[in-house]
Short mmCIF file of all heavy atoms in Angstrom, two decimals:
data_model
loop_
_atom_site.label_atom_id
_atom_site.label_comp_id
_atom_site.label_asym_id
_atom_site.label_seq_id
_atom_site.Cartn_x
_atom_site.Cartn_y
_atom_site.Cartn_z
N TYR S 139 120.10 126.22 40.80
CA TYR S 139 119.68 125.48 39.62
C TYR S 139 120.63 124.31 39.34
O TYR S 139 120.20 123.17 39.10
CB TYR S 139 119.63 126.41 38.41
CG TYR S 139 119.31 125.67 37.12
CD1 TYR S 139 118.01 125.33 36.78
CD2 TYR S 139 120.36 125.28 36.26
CE1 TYR S 139 117.74 124.60 35.62
CE2 TYR S 139 120.10 124.56 35.10
CZ TYR S 139 118.78 124.23 34.78
OH TYR S 139 118.51 123.52 33.64
N ALA S 140 121.93 124.59 39.42
CA ALA S 140 122.93 123.55 39.12
C ALA S 140 122.91 122.47 40.22
O ALA S 140 123.03 121.27 39.92
CB ALA S 140 124.31 124.18 39.02
N ILE S 141 122.76 122.89 41.46
CA ILE S 141 122.71 121.92 42.56
C ILE S 141 121.54 120.96 42.35
O ILE S 141 121.69 119.74 42.40
CB ILE S 141 122.60 122.65 43.92
CG1 ILE S 141 123.91 123.38 44.21
CG2 ILE S 141 122.28 121.66 45.05
CD1 ILE S 141 123.88 124.24 45.47
N GLU S 142 120.38 121.55 42.06
CA GLU S 142 119.18 120.74 41.87
C GLU S 142 119.35 119.80 40.67
O GLU S 142 119.08 118.59 40.74
CB GLU S 142 117.99 121.70 41.67
CG GLU S 142 116.68 121.08 41.18
CD GLU S 142 116.05 120.17 42.21
OE1 GLU S 142 116.45 120.26 43.39
OE2 GLU S 142 115.16 119.38 41.83
N ARG S 143 119.86 120.36 39.58
CA ARG S 143 120.00 119.56 38.36
C ARG S 143 120.93 118.36 38.58
O ARG S 143 120.58 117.21 38.27
CB ARG S 143 120.57 120.45 37.24
CG ARG S 143 120.85 119.74 35.93
CD ARG S 143 121.38 120.73 34.91
NE ARG S 143 121.93 120.07 33.75
CZ ARG S 143 121.21 119.67 32.70
NH1 ARG S 143 119.92 119.87 32.67
NH2 ARG S 143 121.80 119.05 31.68
N TYR S 144 122.12 118.59 39.13
CA TYR S 144 123.10 117.51 39.21
C TYR S 144 122.84 116.57 40.40
O TYR S 144 123.12 115.38 40.31
CB TYR S 144 124.53 118.07 39.24
CG TYR S 144 124.88 118.68 37.90
CD1 TYR S 144 125.08 120.05 37.78
CD2 TYR S 144 124.93 117.90 36.75
CE1 TYR S 144 125.36 120.62 36.53
CE2 TYR S 144 125.22 118.46 35.51
CZ TYR S 144 125.44 119.81 35.42
OH TYR S 144 125.71 120.37 34.18
N HIS S 145 122.26 117.10 41.47
CA HIS S 145 121.96 116.22 42.59
C HIS S 145 120.80 115.29 42.22
O HIS S 145 120.81 114.09 42.52
CB HIS S 145 121.61 117.05 43.84
CG HIS S 145 121.67 116.25 45.10
ND1 HIS S 145 120.79 116.47 46.16
CD2 HIS S 145 122.45 115.22 45.50
CE1 HIS S 145 121.08 115.59 47.12
NE2 HIS S 145 122.07 114.83 46.74
N THR S 146 119.82 115.83 41.50
CA THR S 146 118.70 115.00 41.02
C THR S 146 119.22 113.91 40.08
O THR S 146 118.81 112.74 40.17
CB THR S 146 117.65 115.88 40.30
OG1 THR S 146 117.21 116.86 41.22
CG2 THR S 146 116.48 115.07 39.80
N GLU S 147 120.12 114.30 39.20
CA GLU S 147 120.67 113.32 38.25
C GLU S 147 121.50 112.26 38.99
O GLU S 147 121.44 111.07 38.65
CB GLU S 147 121.50 114.05 37.18
CG GLU S 147 122.17 113.15 36.16
CD GLU S 147 121.23 112.32 35.29
OE1 GLU S 147 119.99 112.37 35.48
OE2 GLU S 147 121.74 111.57 34.42
N ALA S 148 122.26 112.71 39.99
CA ALA S 148 123.05 111.74 40.77
C ALA S 148 122.12 110.71 41.41
O ALA S 148 122.37 109.50 41.36
CB ALA S 148 123.88 112.48 41.82
N LYS S 149 121.04 111.18 42.01
CA LYS S 149 120.11 110.25 42.67
C LYS S 149 119.45 109.32 41.65
O LYS S 149 119.26 108.14 41.91
CB LYS S 149 119.06 111.04 43.46
CG LYS S 149 119.65 111.66 44.74
CD LYS S 149 118.62 112.36 45.58
CE LYS S 149 118.34 113.74 45.06
NZ LYS S 149 117.51 114.58 45.88
N ARG S 150 119.15 109.86 40.47
CA ARG S 150 118.57 109.00 39.43
C ARG S 150 119.56 107.88 39.06
O ARG S 150 119.17 106.72 38.95
CB ARG S 150 118.24 109.83 38.17
CG ARG S 150 117.49 109.05 37.10
CD ARG S 150 117.39 109.81 35.79
NE ARG S 150 118.66 109.88 35.09
CZ ARG S 150 119.19 108.89 34.36
NH1 ARG S 150 118.53 107.75 34.21
NH2 ARG S 150 120.36 109.04 33.76
N LEU S 151 120.82 108.24 38.92
CA LEU S 151 121.83 107.24 38.54
C LEU S 151 122.03 106.19 39.64
O LEU S 151 122.17 104.99 39.34
CB LEU S 151 123.15 107.93 38.21
CG LEU S 151 123.13 108.75 36.90
CD1 LEU S 151 124.27 109.75 36.86
CD2 LEU S 151 123.16 107.83 35.69
N TYR S 152 122.00 106.61 40.90
CA TYR S 152 122.07 105.62 41.98
C TYR S 152 120.84 104.70 41.94
O TYR S 152 120.93 103.52 42.26
CB TYR S 152 122.18 106.31 43.35
CG TYR S 152 123.60 106.58 43.76
CD1 TYR S 152 124.21 107.79 43.44
CD2 TYR S 152 124.36 105.65 44.46
CE1 TYR S 152 125.53 108.06 43.79
CE2 TYR S 152 125.68 105.90 44.82
CZ TYR S 152 126.27 107.10 44.48
OH TYR S 152 127.56 107.34 44.84
N GLY S 153 119.70 105.26 41.50
CA GLY S 153 118.49 104.43 41.34
C GLY S 153 118.69 103.39 40.25
O GLY S 153 118.24 102.23 40.37
N VAL S 154 119.33 103.79 39.17
CA VAL S 154 119.57 102.86 38.04
C VAL S 154 120.44 101.68 38.50
O VAL S 154 120.12 100.52 38.27
CB VAL S 154 120.26 103.61 36.87
CG1 VAL S 154 120.70 102.63 35.80
CG2 VAL S 154 119.33 104.66 36.29
N ILE S 155 121.51 101.99 39.18
CA ILE S 155 122.44 100.93 39.61
C ILE S 155 121.79 100.09 40.71
O ILE S 155 122.00 98.88 40.81
CB ILE S 155 123.80 101.56 40.03
CG1 ILE S 155 124.89 100.56 40.18
CG2 ILE S 155 123.73 102.35 41.25
CD1 ILE S 155 126.25 101.23 40.45
N ASP S 156 120.93 100.73 41.52
CA ASP S 156 120.25 99.98 42.58
C ASP S 156 119.30 98.94 41.95
O ASP S 156 119.27 97.79 42.39
CB ASP S 156 119.45 100.95 43.46
CG ASP S 156 119.09 100.32 44.79
OD1 ASP S 156 120.01 99.94 45.53
OD2 ASP S 156 117.87 100.16 45.06
N ARG S 157 118.59 99.32 40.91
CA ARG S 157 117.70 98.35 40.23
C ARG S 157 118.51 97.24 39.59
O ARG S 157 118.17 96.07 39.64
CB ARG S 157 116.84 99.07 39.18
CG ARG S 157 115.69 99.84 39.73
CD ARG S 157 114.67 100.18 38.64
NE ARG S 157 115.23 100.99 37.55
CZ ARG S 157 115.44 102.30 37.64
NH1 ARG S 157 115.16 102.96 38.75
NH2 ARG S 157 115.94 102.96 36.60
N ARG S 158 119.62 97.63 38.98
CA ARG S 158 120.46 96.63 38.32
C ARG S 158 120.98 95.58 39.31
O ARG S 158 121.14 94.42 38.98
CB ARG S 158 121.66 97.37 37.66
CG ARG S 158 122.69 96.46 37.06
CD ARG S 158 122.17 95.74 35.83
NE ARG S 158 123.12 94.78 35.30
CZ ARG S 158 122.87 93.95 34.29
NH1 ARG S 158 121.69 93.95 33.70
NH2 ARG S 158 123.77 93.10 33.88
N LEU S 159 121.22 96.02 40.54
CA LEU S 159 121.82 95.12 41.53
C LEU S 159 120.77 94.36 42.35
O LEU S 159 121.13 93.64 43.28
CB LEU S 159 122.75 95.92 42.46
CG LEU S 159 124.04 96.41 41.78
CD1 LEU S 159 124.70 97.49 42.63
CD2 LEU S 159 125.00 95.24 41.53
#
Side-chain angles (χ1 to χ4, degrees):
Y139 175 81
I141 291 174
E142 169 68 15
R143 176 179 168 85
Y144 292 114
H145 196 216
T146 301
E147 178 62 357
K149 287 184 278 188
R150 187 190 72 79
L151 290 161
Y152 271 91
V154 171
I155 193 174
D156 198 61
R157 283 197 300 282
R158 174 68 185 175
L159 290 165

